[in-house]
Amino acid sequence: MSSGGVETFLFERNVSGSKPCGGAIPLCMLDEFSIPRAIVDREVTRMRIFSPSNLCVDFGKTLLPSEFIAMTRREVLDSFLRAKAQASGARLITGLVTRLDLPTHVDSGPYVIHYNVGGSKKSVAVDVVIGADGVHSRVAKSIGAGNYEYALAFQERIKLPEEEMEYYRDLAEMYVGDDVSPDFYGWVFPKCDHVAVGTGTVKSKSDIKKFQHGIRARAGPKIRGGRVFKVEAHPIPEHPRPVRVRGRVALVGDAAGYVTKCSGEGIYFAAKSGQMCGQAVVEASEGGTYMINERDLKREYLRKWDGEYRSTFRFLDVLQKVFYGNDASREALVELCGDEYVQRMTFESYLYKKLAKGNPWEDTKMTMNTIGSLVRCNLLGKGMEFLSNV
């Protein structure tokens, strides 16, 4: 916003902090946010998905030579984006926002942000507030934006010996099964000199450590002997909040609930929503010349955001409901991931953040294969359950 002529304050509680996060970002984000390759720890060109029965599928066969999944560390990526905002003119305030006072009249008068810096209480009056303060957003609470269900993510950073780390040089792994999560997946993602091993769940948050033991057991000897040097846990939203704009306050990122089901992806959508909201303020205010209102934010930000990404969120919500309900459905999911057409459609949608346009005949085949896999794996699951009770 500052580059567009709008005076901007950027609040950050802890500039050295890091969020527990897989750290994967799509290829398009590098170009859209001018992120240099030096920020990327690993360029993943191979991905393996393991079913509950440990059926393994290589999920990168259709990637083009120029395509990869960029693996980052949040502390490095976030620091770069903050520095970029400062270079554009934003004023960084390292402090804890404690309260947001609303104006008496929604279309006029300032919002007052109260914050603490080094034990001192301070405040600043502003015309517009963009809340990017996470799941437990104080900004969202201040405007009565409503609540949402959230998942708990747990992650360990594990330093591996150099020869073991070579195995994960360009490889990421995902594991599904009730042993690693009843409604999500476990992961082993490579970083610069270590791997991030984690899982998440909505249904059984109190059992998160049990699921973490599960993902470590499934990864087995590939991470055995590694040294855990950091343990992280963090809530992740499961769906958008009931209210994302009220008055001259807008929510973005986790505060708005922009994390996809099925994949749990949130980094790109946090950055993109912040960018789109900032552009909306600049355009509606004509570079800070005019006071904006709720209608402006809904028109220039929400309507454009929903038009661009609502279908993606809904599609992934359906996929999670179909494939993450039980181990039989997860077996079907992994089986389908072996199909090269499925892989190509998935990567085109993920890497470029556009729902890929498929071939009608191939789409029909994929639908039939999906039904067949679900039927076959559910029948197999019932048979195994019967045999275990004999």
Side-chain angles (χ1 to χ4, degrees):
M1 291 195 301
S2 50
S3 61
V6 177
E7 183 181 14
T8 304
F9 299 92
L10 175 62
F11 290 88
E12 181 65 77
R13 179 179 182 178
N14 181 7
V15 295
S16 61
S18 62
K19 179 181 176 181
C21 177
I25 61 175
L27 198 56
C28 65
M29 187 172 175
L30 300 183
D31 291 333
E32 291 180 28
F33 293 88
S34 301
I35 298 174
R37 296 283 272 271
I39 298 295
V40 178
D41 281 344
R42 301 275 175 172
E43 296 182 3
V44 168
T45 56
R46 298 182 300 137
M47 180 169 283
R48 288 178 180 158
I49 304 178
F50 294 83
S51 76
S53 65
N54 268 338
L55 169 69
C56 175
V57 166
D58 287 320
F59 197 69
K61 293 181 286 186
T62 65
L63 283 174
L64 302 177
S66 59
E67 293 178 332
F68 58 88
I69 299 171
M71 290 292 174
T72 66
R73 284 166 290 159
R74 282 296 299 271
E75 60 270 30
V76 176
L77 177 62
D78 292 356
S79 178
F80 167 78
L81 294 174
R82 272 195 305 270
K84 187 177 178 183
Q86 286 181 274
S88 296
R91 176 185 167 188
L92 176 64
I93 298 177
T94 305
L96 172 64
V97 173
T98 57
R99 192 174 82 246
L100 174 65
D101 289 344
L102 309 184
T104 304
H105 301 288
V106 70
D107 287 334
S108 63
Y111 291 84
V112 180
I113 300 173
H114 298 268
Y115 61 99
N116 293 339
V117 176
S120 300
K121 295 181 178 180
K122 298 186 178 184
S123 65
V124 61
V126 298
D127 294 323
V128 180
V129 177
I130 298 177
D133 50 340
V135 171
H136 302 303
S137 170
R138 283 190 168 94
V139 174
K141 185 176 181 179
S142 296
I143 64 171
N147 296 317
Y148 48 35
E149 183 61 89
Y150 66 89
L152 180 62
F154 188 95
Q155 177 174 274
E156 295 172 310
R157 300 204 196 189
I158 302 177
K159 179 83 172 181
L160 298 178
E162 189 172 334
E163 56 273 20
E164 274 78 14
M165 194 64 215
E166 178 61 21
Y167 173 80
Y168 287 107
R169 179 172 53 86
D170 58 358
L171 171 68
E173 294 180 334
M174 295 171 61
Y175 295 80
V176 291
D178 279 336
D179 56 332
V180 298
S181 175
D183 50 359
F184 203 54
Y185 63 86
W187 64 85
V188 181
F189 288 170
K191 307 297 180 181
C192 58
D193 60 354
H194 63 277
V195 291
V197 181
T199 185
T201 179
V202 175
K203 296 179 180 178
S204 304
K205 299 182 185 71
S206 61
D207 292 325
I208 190 67
K209 289 189 176 179
K210 180 183 78 172
F211 300 136
Q212 183 66 13
H213 287 307
I215 177 61
R216 293 193 64 167
R218 291 280 292 279
K222 291 174 288 187
I223 62 170
R224 193 170 296 140
R227 177 178 60 85
V228 177
F229 67 90
K230 193 169 190 178
V231 178
E232 305 163 309
H234 199 80
I236 300 173
E238 275 291 287
H239 56 80
R241 285 192 194 272
V243 174
R244 290 168 289 155
V245 168
R246 178 161 284 161
R248 286 169 281 129
V249 179
L251 303 176
V252 299
D254 283 9
Y258 294 152
V259 174
T260 60
K261 293 284 189 72
C262 199
S263 65
E265 182 188 5
I267 300 176
Y268 175 81
F269 295 111
K272 193 64 178 179
S273 59
Q275 181 188 65
M276 291 177 69
C277 193
Q279 290 171 344
V281 172
V282 171
E283 291 170 9
S285 69
E286 297 187 17
T289 305
Y290 299 101
M291 177 74 81
I292 69 170
N293 57 39
E294 181 176 308
R295 293 184 301 277
D296 295 324
L297 284 173
K298 287 183 175 179
R299 181 186 67 251
E300 299 296 334
Y301 163 48
L302 270 194
R303 185 182 300 171
K304 292 179 180 179
W305 172 266
D306 288 343
E308 187 75 19
Y309 299 111
R310 178 183 286 174
S311 57
T312 297
F313 278 71
R314 286 180 173 175
F315 176 70
L316 292 172
D317 187 15
V318 171
L319 284 188
Q320 175 152 327
K321 289 175 180 175
V322 171
F323 289 111
Y324 280 70
N326 54 56
D327 276 353
S329 296
R330 296 181 192 111
E331 289 287 348
L333 171 65
V334 175
E335 182 179 287
L336 282 169
C337 286
D339 185 279
E340 292 193 8
Y341 181 72
V342 172
Q343 292 189 22
R344 191 62 221 160
M345 291 296 98
T346 300
F347 277 119
E348 282 189 15
S349 298
Y350 171 76
L351 293 176
Y352 306 108
K353 286 297 165 278
K354 301 284 185 183
L355 281 178
K357 294 182 179 179
N359 176 287
W361 170 242
E362 291 293 341
D363 287 343
T364 301
K365 287 172 57 181
M366 182 172 65
T367 300
M368 298 306 296
N369 287 339
T370 300
I371 295 172
S373 292
L374 286 169
V375 170
R376 183 166 52 255
C377 290
N378 271 284
L379 287 174
L380 178 61
K382 290 178 180 178
M384 294 301 292
E385 183 180 348
F386 172 78
L387 289 174
S388 66
N389 292 326
V390 172

